[in-house]
């Protein structure tokens, strides 16, 4: 059964069919081959119950919040404000890239949106100030991946729904590792610039008065983070309610800046509907496949097969991590997450690992897939915003992300050795 499922999945992926189609066809095939009773008639009830899941309402809300922010001009002012504080460190604007991605991730919830926005603001400064292109572009591509890990992460919501884990606990668990990972990214930049000063660029000086004045530009993104994530952490709002608060706050920010015309609002709503339709179609297809896998006993068979190997849980976890690192090179990240979570989550739970902890590790693995060739999405996003004199081969972006991939693997190792990096905050707050 496992071999047939793997073969069918591989063939469908090679045919380059849409992800939702792959999941549905795989589910129907397995149902016809192995189910003792017809499962397809039950799909209506399964899809209805899945699509009416209250927490999923947060997905279009967070997408709309990010769309509004993209059109409000907050990112550029935030970038310039952070630059006045961190550009004196060896690595200069590359630290600004990482800091900006970290803060913007805490308001957009999307890695692609973060990389595209910060890349558009930052890349014109690359040649003007004489930075080596590879590491500079790599800092944008890798920094953008923090949108998956740092709350409010859309991917974290989907993982929580598919693995039946508390979204609030996942958000709490991801905060400290997210900040630490951003710190590791900056450490990699600092180390490389000290070892190879030629890749560093010129810096601009700012007085303390200018730095303090620039803090005003940080009020909007920090305030939005406090409204959205703070309300969740404080227990005032569920993730769905916090998402609605975030949309209201983003609208107020855009209106206060007079940056939201009717045309811009229409574009934001259209972008939200397009992205939400894509995401929800994949999610519903995954729910149907999960229903089939449980009904035919494949999930239990996989768990039993791993138990029969009599390997240590750590060894199995390392194998799972290795498999995801390989799959991430060839599968789009949302597809990878949605297609595999229903299969892997029960296995991880059976090994005795906390699924909240695994959710954080999983998000870092998905982050890695965003910047590993040949189909790392953030690589192409950063390459797409290189225009005019800044244009160059995508090879430069691919080489530039290597140090940051190593930092992601370091973060996973730290989480393996010290699980409380992820579990301490949820245990403290939910106590």
């Amino acid at each position: 059964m496992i071999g047939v499922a793997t073969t069918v999945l591989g063939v469908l992926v090679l045919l380059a069919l849409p992800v939702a189609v792959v999941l549905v066809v795989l589910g129907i095939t397995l149902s016809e081959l192995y189910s003792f009773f017809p499962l397809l008639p039950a799909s209506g009830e399964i899809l209805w119950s899945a699509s009416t899941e209250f927490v999923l309402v947060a997905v279009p809300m967070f997408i709309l919040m990010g769309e509004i922010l993209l059109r409000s001009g907050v990112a550029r002012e935030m970038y310039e404000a952070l630059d006045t504080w961190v550009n004196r460190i060896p690595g200069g604007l590359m630290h600004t890239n990482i800091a900006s991605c970290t803060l913007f991730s805490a308001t957009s919830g999307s890695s692609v949106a973060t990389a595209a926005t910060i890349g558009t603001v930052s890349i014109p400064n690359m040649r003007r100030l004489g930075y080596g292109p590879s590491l500079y572009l790599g800092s944008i591509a890798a920094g953008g991946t923090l949108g998956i890990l740092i709350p409010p992460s859309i991917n974290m919501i989907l993982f929580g729904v598919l693995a039946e884990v508390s979204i609030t606990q996942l958000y709490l668990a991801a905060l400290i590792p997210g900040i630490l990972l951003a710190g590791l990214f900056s450490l990699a930049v600092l180390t490389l610039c000290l070892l190879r000063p030629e890749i560093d660029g010129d810096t601009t000086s700012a007085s303390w008065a200018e730095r303090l004045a620039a803090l005003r530009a940080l009020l909007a993104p920090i305030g939005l983070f406090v409204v959205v994530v703070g309300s969740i952490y404080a227990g005032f709002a569920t993730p769905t309610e916090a998402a609605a608060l975030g949309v209201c706050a983003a609208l107020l920010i855009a209106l206060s800046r007079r940056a939201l015309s009717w045309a811009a609002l229409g574009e934001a709503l259209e972008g939200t509907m397009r992205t939400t339709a894509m995401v929800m179609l994949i999610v519903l297809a995954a729910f149907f496949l999960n229903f089939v896998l449980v009904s035919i006993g494949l999930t239990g068979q996989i768990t039993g097969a791993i138990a029969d190997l009599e390997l240590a849980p750590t060894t199995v976890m390392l194998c799972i991590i290795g498999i995801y690192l390989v799959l991430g090179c060839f599968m789009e990240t949302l597809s990878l997450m949605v297609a595999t979570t229903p299969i892997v989550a029960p296995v991880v739970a059976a090994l005795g690992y906390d699924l909240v902890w695994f959710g954080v590790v999983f998000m870092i693995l998905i982050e890695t897939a965003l910047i590993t060739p040949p189909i790392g999405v953030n690589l192409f996003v950063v390459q797409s915003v290189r225009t005019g004199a800044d244009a160059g081969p995508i090879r430069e972006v691919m080489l530039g992300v290597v140090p940051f991939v190593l930092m992601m693997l370091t973060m996973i190792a730290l989480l393996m050795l010290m699980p409380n990096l992820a579990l301490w905050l949820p245990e403290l707050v939910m106590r």
Side-chain angles (χ1 to χ4, degrees), residues 105 109 111 145-153 155-156 170-171 173-179 181-182 359-361 363-364 367 411:
S105 294
S111 290
T145 66
L146 294 169
I148 280 181
L149 183 59
I150 295 178
S153 163
N155 292 64
M156 198 79 83
L170 286 170
Y171 276 2
L175 186 60
I176 293 175
I179 295 171
L181 184 57
V360 177
V361 173
M363 289 305 112
I364 299 175
E367 283 186 301
M411 189 69 240

Side-chain angles (χ1 to χ4, degrees), residues 338-387:
V338 172
T340 61
T341 297
I343 300 172
V344 174
V347 173
V348 171
L351 292 172
Y353 287 101
D354 192 308
L355 283 178
V356 173
W357 170 87
F358 179 68
V360 177
V361 173
F362 193 23
M363 289 305 112
I364 299 175
L365 289 169
I366 297 297
E367 283 186 301
T368 308
L370 278 169
I371 56 174
T372 48
I375 61 169
V377 175
N378 274 23
L379 301 176
F380 295 98
V381 169
V382 172
Q383 179 67 11
S384 69
V385 297
R386 298 177 69 187
T387 57

